[in-house]
Amino acid sequence: MHIISAVCGLGAAFALPVLMKKPETVTQAKFAFKVNAGIEKIVKIGSITLLVTGLILGALNPSLFTQIWYIVSIVIFIMVQPVVAVILPKKLAELEKILNSIKEDKLPDSYFQISKQMAPYNGFTHLAAIVLIILMVLKPF
């Protein structure tokens, strides 16, 4: 269950920034938002399940709490949460507000500016996900 959660929670999260960066018109952006909403549900469920199953594994095997890779994984996971639960959703809400106020099918520069502002946060979350996967698979220390 833990591995499936990782695939759903971490894997699907890689698709979201790519999906949201592709639209060139308002129509495409609105469609991307609809698809994003569906993927986001999978990411949220997978991420929560990943944390819960990880903690259950720790409860079943308390020696995990002495392993640096395990503790670092939990810390990284918790550090990412403000970005994925607060910052990125606010930016997405700003993008959606812009979309809902546009009458033509051309995306304004403000849409792309906000999208660019999201890039470092998306990069951080991707890097964190890669590190988490490496830690879970290799258990290096």
Side-chain angles (χ1 to χ4, degrees), residues 12 26 30 61 80 87 93 121 126 134:
V26 171
K30 286 182 178 182
N61 185 5
V80 169
I87 296 171
Y121 297 109
H126 284 163
I134 290 169

Side-chain angles (χ1 to χ4, degrees), residues 51-66 70 74:
L51 178 62
V52 170
T53 57
L55 292 173
I56 289 171
L57 289 171
L60 294 173
N61 185 5
S63 68
L64 284 176
F65 289 101
T66 65
Y70 182 80
I74 292 171

Side-chain angles (χ1 to χ4, degrees), residues 31-130:
F31 178 74
F33 266 90
K34 286 180 184 177
V35 173
N36 181 61
I39 294 172
E40 194 173 32
K41 287 177 188 173
I42 295 168
V43 171
K44 286 178 182 177
I45 292 168
S47 295
I48 291 167
T49 307
L50 181 64
L51 178 62
V52 170
T53 57
L55 292 173
I56 289 171
L57 289 171
L60 294 173
N61 185 5
S63 68
L64 284 176
F65 289 101
T66 65
Q67 302 293 313
I68 295 172
W69 70 267
Y70 182 80
I71 295 166
V72 169
S73 295
I74 292 171
V75 170
I76 290 171
F77 188 90
I78 291 168
M79 286 175 41
V80 169
Q81 296 315 301
V83 174
V84 299
V86 178
I87 296 171
L88 289 174
K90 278 186 181 179
K91 295 291 183 188
L92 285 171
E94 289 177 41
L95 290 177
E96 198 163 24
K97 185 177 178 182
I98 290 169
L99 284 179
N100 293 332
S101 68
I102 299 172
K103 301 298 179 213
E104 66 244 17
D105 202 36
K106 183 177 185 259
L107 290 169
D109 289 337
S110 59
Y111 182 91
F112 295 108
Q113 289 171 348
I114 293 169
S115 188
K116 284 181 184 177
Q117 291 172 4
M118 294 172 66
Y121 297 109
N122 287 323
F124 170 71
T125 60
H126 284 163
L127 179 62
I130 290 167

Side-chain angles (χ1 to χ4, degrees), residues 1-13 46-47 49-50 53 133 136:
M1 182 66 139
H2 188 68
I3 293 170
I4 293 169
S5 301
V7 171
C8 292
L10 300 177
S47 295
T49 307
L50 181 64
T53 57
I133 292 166
M136 286 188 287

